[in-house]
Amino acid sequence: MAITTHIPGMIPGATRRNVALGLLAVVLFPLTLVFALFYVPTVLATNRGGVGDALAGSPLVRVPGIGGPGVKTAAVAFVYLFVLVGVVFAALPSDAGSPDAGPSAPDTGAKGAVATADDDTASPERETLTATPTDGAGTEGTTGDGTATTPSEGPTTTEPTERRTPRTETATPAPTRTSTPTETAAPTPTPSPTPTPATTTEAPRGPSEGGEWTVTVTRVVDGDTLEVRFPNGETDTLRLLGVDTPETTLGRVSPDEFEGIPDTTGGRDWLYEWGERASQFATRELDGERVRIAVDPTADRRGGFGRLLVYVYVDGENFNARLLEEGYARLYESSFSQRGRFTDIEATAQRRNVGVWGYEGPDPTPTPDPTPTPGDAPDLPPLPPDGDYNCGDFDTHEQAQYVLERDPSDPHGLDGDDDGIACESLQ
């Protein structure tokens, strides 16, 4: 609604008048209210400038409630002024019935009027015909130009005929109300479903959530790596958290990771021997068994090769800690909650020269040599990052057979049917 409908005296289209009245309403009227309703009572209440004393001797003291200075006089004056302001505001003219409410219709003739169209429809064109009054009976007729004539008996006296020329009424053209067609939102096109790329079928992995399970060990890869099957049938590869057993491949042993073991042929042979012993120990204790495993909330869930990092519990005993106690493994430098305990266990084993920490000379305790292979050793492909060969890693059957005969325990699982022949598919 326009502001001109709220402020008395404003006329739509009269800009200067409306601006003046707007300033009066917005600035002068509030100042008047403040002065009348607050300033005057305050002066009377505080007798500022002796106004209250002067009022005591004036005829206004005859007004009920008005006396000398004081709070009572101020309160009564506030009420009177408030009523007076209300009366003045009520007396202000409104737009309804005001002679200034809008432009008057011009007089276009003695009996004509200008029809004003309303907002919705324009006044139709009207034609007014005035018949000439006659004496006696007769048939009233009209001429072609609309002049009414009446036949009379005897001498006919033709009187001036009041003639109203057909006219087109001048009407203020009503603004054509053009209904703006409602803009209909175009239907949102349904996006075509994005084709799902074909996924490569991968071997099932262990649960992505949870922290503790009972699983079945299906294979011992080496002393600190296992393959297991979960109750739901999924399989995964586990890495024992916080421990590291020596490698079971002679070319990959690292004497610098084991304190006190020299980087010599003797030292390497010693670590290789204890890598084999750790693998055999884990196979004896875990292979085919149902064990409880748990991840550590403070450690990474998976290692660099994607293996699940866990503690393994056999009959409630932590198997990771047992590898340290019996000298099959060293402490693996990583962050996990039991690191303090594992550090103490490793230190005790080193002090007592248990297991791998019992190295005393260049020659390790003799171990059964692998079955000799006639001829020169073939060139072998590089060992995969997880340290585990499979048949697909070899170019020839000779390479796979050499690896199997070097370690008949078949830690890589190259002889699936235990007939002594590795990777028969390569033959």
Side-chain angles (χ1 to χ4, degrees), residues 130-176:
T130 305
T132 303
T134 59
D135 295 332
T139 303
E140 182 179 330
T142 59
T143 64
D145 61 357
T147 304
T149 61
T150 304
S152 59
E153 298 178 359
T156 302
T157 302
T158 303
E159 297 180 359
T161 302
E162 182 179 351
R163 180 168 174 266
R164 182 166 295 172
T165 303
R167 61 185 176 80
T168 303
E169 295 181 356
T170 303
T172 303
T176 303

